[in-house]
Amino acid sequence: MARYFFAVIVLIHGLIHLMGFINQWNLKKITQFTGNTLFPVSENLSKLFGVLWLLAALFFIISAAGFLANKDWWTVVGLIAILISQFLIIVYWKDARAGTILNIIILTVTIISIAASAFDKKINEEIVQLYSNVKEDNSVITKERFNELPPVVKKWIEHSGIIGKKNINEIRLKQKAHMKSKPDGKWMDVNAVQYFRTDEPAFIYKLDVSVAPLISMTGRDKYEYGTGNMLIKILDLYTVIDARSKEIDQGSIIRFLSETFWFPSFAISKYVKWEQVDDSTAKATMSYKDETESILITFSPEGDVKKIEAQRYGEFDGKYSKELWSVVNMSYQEFEGIRISNKSEVTWKLKSGEFTWLKIEITDLEYNKPFPY
């Protein structure tokens, strides 16, 4: 709704500029437009200014159309329109000064959009780099390759449908989610895209959070070469979080290991060791780049991953602490013939009580297609 509201503002602003053209070229007398200027204007110059009013109108209308069509060029056209418009507003200040307010609004949104485009470009470059040197393993997954795994894990593998399919090297998926930053906070809508590689464990997670009407938060969570980095920007302009630490690294490897159940062939990766705890539970331990962490997985009787738990660092009240972190899978779906959990809830089990802060749904998933959405 906010997108359409802004586009209407730009369109109306453009149409208003036509009044200046019509008046300067004497096509029709507009009584609201006196024609008074800050300095004397000859008839020829008045005609030229009329052409500028027309150009500003056209540029605003084209910019509005480009904005609605998600074309990157709309910002350039919009900036040109604003420059021409504001020049004319200054010249015809008595008649047109109110247009400055609209120009400020349009300029603000334009700057935010330029910043968003720059941030997207940075993330896309990171994604290209993520996949630039993947060592492909196109071998077919056979049942015999899982003989060394505990029975409860083998049951999950067979139930997942990965047997007979090629090893998964790259993954990309889309999510819709709801999240909140504190137990009594409000739920915020999230759209996210995530990219993985499995030969050298790594992921890039890009999310857009709707904080409030016309206010968004864009983030990029990255795990690469054994280190994590969380980058959060408000309105794509102001960096509010750029976190790097041992605690972030620990949380990132836990997250990667927990999300490998979306690509089951990673179960036989050289980075993972398995240990059966009981008939329905197994422990997975991942070692990579001097970091070793474990998670506890509870399987359903059918062989689905029901719950994941781990001791993971989180930031609470401005301080990091290691707390019990839990993922509960709510439903399952097949993507490209592989059965995975498609809806999950993520909860911190704190001393003060349980804090479910994230609810996710995978809406699209593709294997071995490394190029960005």
Side-chain angles (χ1 to χ4, degrees):
M1 182 63 69
R3 283 183 56 82
Y4 292 109
F5 180 70
F6 174 72
V8 168
I9 287 177
V10 178
L11 180 61
I12 292 174
H13 194 41
L15 293 175
I16 290 173
H17 280 68
L18 286 176
M19 295 171 59
F21 168 71
I22 292 170
N23 193 75
Q24 295 303 103
W25 279 72
N26 298 315
L27 300 178
K28 183 179 180 181
K29 187 62 179 176
I30 299 174
T31 56
Q32 294 90 340
F33 199 89
T34 65
N36 292 333
T37 58
L38 292 181
F39 52 86
V41 175
S42 66
E43 184 176 349
N44 288 336
L45 189 56
S46 176
K47 295 287 187 181
L48 176 59
F49 285 162
V51 173
L52 291 179
W53 281 111
L54 177 62
L55 284 176
L58 292 174
F59 280 132
F60 276 125
I61 293 169
I62 293 170
S63 180
F67 174 79
L68 286 176
N70 289 315
K71 301 296 184 181
D72 291 338
W73 49 257
W74 84 265
T75 56
V76 176
V77 177
L79 286 174
I80 294 172
I82 291 169
L83 287 174
I84 297 173
S85 171
Q86 196 57 43
F87 168 74
L88 293 170
I89 287 172
I90 292 172
V91 174
Y92 295 90
W93 185 254
K94 183 177 180 181
D95 293 327
R97 59 183 180 273
T100 299
I101 297 173
L102 291 178
N103 277 342
I104 290 173
I105 293 172
I106 297 169
L107 179 62
T108 300
V109 176
T110 303
I111 291 172
I112 291 171
S113 296
I114 291 172
S117 179
F119 193 39
D120 280 343
K121 182 179 179 181
K122 168 184 167 62
I123 296 173
N124 287 337
E125 289 172 352
E126 291 180 341
I127 294 166
V128 171
Q129 180 62 35
L130 179 78
Y131 291 134
S132 64
N133 59 348
V134 174
K135 300 178 182 67
E136 300 282 349
D137 175 6
N138 295 314
S139 61
V140 174
I141 302 299
T142 62
K143 190 173 181 179
E144 290 71 26
R145 296 176 67 178
F146 295 92
N147 282 340
E148 301 300 319
L149 297 184
V152 70
V153 180
K154 286 196 289 186
K155 185 175 182 179
W156 158 61
I157 290 293
E158 293 173 1
H159 187 61
S160 73
I162 191 68
I163 303 297
K165 295 181 173 59
K166 289 185 178 180
N167 184 70
I168 298 171
N169 304 291
E170 305 101 356
I171 305 92
R172 60 183 187 180
L173 59 86
K174 290 182 178 180
Q175 293 178 354
K176 286 186 177 179
H178 303 283
M179 67 179 296
K180 56 183 177 180
S181 58
K182 52 186 179 180
D184 59 348
K186 70 167 188 173
W187 289 102
M188 298 176 287
D189 293 332
V190 180
N191 287 296
V193 184
Q194 190 166 6
Y195 304 87
F196 297 87
R197 63 181 287 181
T198 61
D199 62 325
E200 292 284 337
F203 69 73
I204 290 176
Y205 180 74
K206 178 188 174 184
L207 69 159
D208 293 297
V209 184
S210 178
V211 179
L214 300 179
I215 300 177
S216 64
M217 181 172 67
T218 305
R220 190 271 289 128
D221 194 9
K222 181 169 71 170
Y223 175 65
E224 194 172 22
Y225 306 118
T227 60
N229 173 226
M230 171 60 79
L231 180 63
I232 300 289
K233 290 176 177 284
I234 292 288
L235 298 176
D236 293 293
L237 286 171
Y238 303 103
T239 299
V240 293
I241 297 175
D242 187 1
R244 303 173 189 268
S245 66
K246 282 293 183 181
E247 291 83 0
I248 294 290
D249 297 345
Q250 190 267 356
S252 295
I253 191 173
I254 289 288
R255 175 177 177 177
F256 182 90
L257 180 56
S258 300
E259 293 174 343
T260 61
F261 293 94
W262 294 334
F263 36 99
S265 60
F266 194 78
I268 53 173
S269 168
K270 64 183 179 181
Y271 304 109
V272 182
K273 303 297 181 185
W274 291 91
E275 176 186 349
Q276 182 146 336
V277 177
D278 56 37
D279 290 344
S280 63
T281 311
K283 179 181 178 181
T285 300
M286 178 173 164
S287 298
Y288 182 61
K289 299 291 185 182
D290 301 323
E291 189 86 49
T292 298
E293 293 293 338
S294 299
I295 62 174
L296 200 65
I297 309 99
T298 301
F299 298 91
S300 71
E302 297 78 17
D304 287 314
V305 177
K306 184 177 180 180
K307 183 171 66 173
I308 299 169
E309 290 185 317
Q311 290 291 326
R312 179 178 175 179
Y313 276 107
E315 187 176 359
F316 307 97
D317 298 324
K319 296 181 180 179
Y320 284 108
S321 61
K322 187 178 280 189
E323 308 288 347
L324 182 59
W325 176 82
S326 172
V327 179
V328 176
N329 295 325
M330 313 303 291
S331 66
Y332 305 87
Q333 183 177 333
E334 283 192 7
F335 293 92
E336 299 191 2
I338 298 175
R339 180 179 171 88
I340 65 166
S341 60
N342 69 315
K343 291 184 180 180
S344 306
E345 293 187 358
V346 185
T347 300
W348 288 103
K349 297 186 177 181
L350 309 173
K351 294 177 182 178
S352 57
E354 292 191 358
F355 169 30
T356 298
W357 71 280
L358 181 64
K359 299 179 181 181
I360 65 172
E361 177 184 0
I362 296 175
T363 58
D364 189 32
L365 186 151
E366 294 180 318
Y367 297 117
N368 296 328
K369 296 177 183 177
F371 300 104
Y373 279 106

